[in-house]
Amino acid sequence: VCDPASGKASGFIVNSQEWDLALGDGNLVEITLGREDQIQPGDFLVVYRESPLPGSPRQVLGEIGVLTAESHTATARILRMRYAMHIGDKVELR
């Protein structure tokens, strides 16, 4: 739940066709990382949200798997979730 940062490529969830109020298992999402960021199909990324309290650990929301990658964007599927995800949540290469 309080997984420390890996220091690898990080970006954001920016879009989802199935977006309503929250995103969950099975939803497809678009992220701001792609081939130029060393992201390729088959990669797994952690989805997280920074804590609003300074000095507190980030909150890990779940995991996504990359299906397709363009130069600066990728499409991924939410594979596991602990908490609902939203457009704007952060992602980081595992």
Side-chain angles (χ1 to χ4, degrees), residues 39-94:
I39 301 296
Q40 57 187 326
D43 284 345
F44 295 95
L45 293 92
V46 172
V47 180
Y48 66 98
R49 198 173 293 145
E50 295 293 342
S51 173
L53 302 172
S56 294
R58 65 188 187 168
Q59 181 181 43
V60 174
L61 306 173
E63 182 177 63
I64 59 175
V66 176
L67 301 173
T68 63
E70 300 299 325
S71 59
H72 293 287
T73 62
T75 301
R77 181 175 302 276
I78 298 174
L79 301 174
R80 284 185 249 171
M81 64 173 267
R82 182 174 179 91
Y83 301 106
M85 299 172 193
H86 301 281
I87 304 297
D89 283 335
K90 296 182 178 184
V91 298
E92 180 181 64
L93 187 59
R94 194 174 270 294

